[in-house]
Amino acid sequence: EKRPPRRAGGIRRESTRTTLPTCPTHARARARASHTRKRATTTGEEKMATTMMSTTMATRRGGRSLAAQSQRRRSAGALRRATRMMAAQQPKKILMLGGTRFIGVYLARMLVDEGHEVTLLTRGKSPVTTQIPDDTDEYYAEYAKAINHIACDRKDADAVAGKLKGSGFDVVYDINAREKEDIEPILGALPNLDQYILCSSAGVYLKSDEMPHMEKDAVDPKSRHKGKLDMETHLEAVGANFTSVRPVYIYGPLNYNPVEEWFFHRIAAGRPIPVPGNGKQITQLGHVKDLAVAFTKILGNDKAKNQIYNISGEKFVTFDGIAKACAAAAGAPEPELVHF
């Protein structure tokens, strides 16, 4: 069953999606996902490695000087405070589901910095906020004070209705929903939302020999991400003003999936890196912070109404290229690759 084509506007990104090997794979690459531009194909390994090497060397130099590191963190805190002072003139009351682990950790901070009122809805089994390496002590104290919390199981419709009744939320950022049943209680409790912004997946597309995937491409109803498709279909059916973001493989700090980390462990141990096939398969990566920026660009954006966007980094990279780029970023010799 194929859904009708949908044209994307605003901040559309194209993406390539391929199946990674059993050992998960990501690399540290610079990704920019907040602007519309045409996808360019590149052979990729050297450019990716150069970018990652320069980033890593800069980090190392900073690590050698605690004074310089402290100064940078103070500057970052000042920049965040300045951003908050220049926040949008009409702050939104935002409910976020999934703001304590990875994507939402960065997104929530960006929204608070822009002056919005952010509430995290979680089951309450983990800390609502935790300090991350980006935070100065001063900034984290301000952020933790600004964040509101609702403890509730999102799948319990009665509990959700009770907790959200009269809450007056304008926007929902749904980062962790997996099935249509996950969003139904939220929509039922908040019938007058201005916007529902959903994190979907680029894994929903039907496999094709023609790449990269575009938002209008056929989707796979048998995909393991079928629940994401069902949510998009439901949001459209009920007439919600929604935007769905389909990211590719996400990497970056706080990643709870041992993706790029696996490569670095192999490299640090001086072990060969197994790569399936001939290693020339291409994929794309996206940095978590750039994805969070893309999510903020959707807020209140009329061009994003009822749109679906692929979000990825700017370049293609081969599986071999990921391994080599990780080695370059780690300042290690080119790794031994074992194709199987």
Side-chain angles (χ1 to χ4, degrees):
E1 183 182 25
K2 297 182 179 179
R3 300 177 59 222
R6 190 184 283 115
R7 186 184 175 201
I11 59 167
R12 187 180 76 186
R13 301 294 291 164
E14 305 164 6
S15 77
T16 299
R17 179 76 171 189
T18 57
T19 302
L20 288 181
T22 302
C23 296
T25 58
H26 280 62
R28 180 175 298 276
R30 181 65 182 168
R32 290 173 292 181
S34 60
H35 299 286
T36 304
R37 70 177 57 174
K38 193 174 182 180
R39 183 73 56 212
T41 303
T42 124
T43 55
E45 289 93 344
E46 292 186 0
K47 291 184 179 179
M48 181 74 76
T50 300
T51 301
M52 297 176 70
M53 174 70 87
S54 61
T55 302
T56 301
M57 290 180 68
T59 303
R60 287 181 172 182
R61 286 194 296 269
R64 292 170 185 165
S65 171
L66 293 177
Q69 187 179 48
S70 298
Q71 179 59 44
R72 281 196 301 273
R73 295 181 71 188
R74 286 193 295 271
S75 298
L79 179 59
R80 280 170 160 167
R81 288 191 294 275
T83 301
R84 187 174 298 173
M85 292 176 65
M86 296 185 292
Q89 294 182 357
Q90 296 181 340
K92 299 288 187 179
K93 189 173 183 180
I94 296 171
L95 176 67
M96 182 181 297
L97 298 100
T100 61
R101 296 186 73 188
F102 188 34
I103 301 169
V105 170
Y106 295 99
L107 176 58
R109 281 164 168 76
M110 292 179 186
L111 293 171
V112 167
D113 290 344
E114 291 180 358
H116 303 293
E117 181 183 336
V118 179
T119 299
L120 304 184
L121 188 151
T122 77
R123 289 174 294 177
K125 295 183 177 181
S126 301
V128 178
T129 64
T130 54
Q131 189 167 359
I132 63 175
D134 289 6
D135 296 338
T136 63
D137 292 342
E138 180 184 7
Y139 174 80
Y140 176 69
E142 293 178 359
Y143 170 74
K145 185 177 179 180
I147 286 291
N148 302 307
H149 180 239
I150 295 174
C152 183
D153 184 344
R154 65 174 300 159
K155 293 186 178 182
D156 186 334
D158 291 337
V160 169
K163 293 285 188 178
L164 299 185
K165 182 178 180 180
S167 57
F169 287 108
D170 302 309
V171 177
V172 166
Y173 273 98
D174 202 335
I175 307 301
N176 65 1
R178 295 183 178 275
E179 305 291 339
K180 181 184 75 171
E181 291 73 21
D182 293 339
I183 67 173
E184 287 175 329
I186 308 301
L187 291 169
L190 300 172
N192 299 314
L193 283 173
D194 293 340
Q195 220 175 354
Y196 201 106
I197 302 172
L198 176 70
C199 185
S200 182
S201 170
V204 301
Y205 291 106
L206 191 66
K207 289 183 178 180
S208 172
D209 292 328
E210 298 180 9
M211 305 298 285
H213 280 305
M214 306 290 288
E215 290 87 347
K216 64 182 180 180
D217 287 353
V219 294
D220 183 3
K222 296 180 180 180
S223 162
R224 70 184 182 91
H225 298 288
K226 180 180 180 297
K228 302 286 190 180
L229 292 175
D230 292 341
M231 288 187 287
E232 293 172 353
T233 301
H234 184 67
L235 286 165
E236 187 174 26
V238 300
N241 174 15
F242 81 99
T243 304
S244 181
V245 173
R246 294 174 175 173
V248 295
Y249 296 107
I250 309 165
Y251 73 99
L254 307 183
N255 195 352
Y256 50 86
N257 290 316
V259 284
E260 67 271 27
E261 178 185 357
W262 177 82
F263 280 103
F264 288 111
H265 281 312
R266 300 285 297 191
I267 292 165
R271 303 184 66 187
I273 298 178
V275 178
N278 63 8
K280 300 303 180 185
Q281 309 94 318
I282 59 172
T283 188
Q284 283 175 284
L285 309 170
H287 195 279
V288 62
K289 293 182 183 180
D290 295 311
L291 176 59
V293 169
F295 270 116
T296 67
K297 299 294 184 183
I298 293 169
L299 182 63
N301 188 339
D302 289 338
K303 293 181 180 180
K305 183 177 181 179
N306 299 332
Q307 299 296 328
I308 292 175
Y309 298 107
N310 294 338
I311 299 289
S312 76
E314 190 174 30
K315 297 179 180 179
F316 299 150
V317 62
T318 65
F319 285 6
D320 280 359
I322 293 174
K324 293 176 183 178
C326 285
E334 186 170 302
E336 177 187 354
L337 305 180
V338 178
H339 297 117
F340 65 93

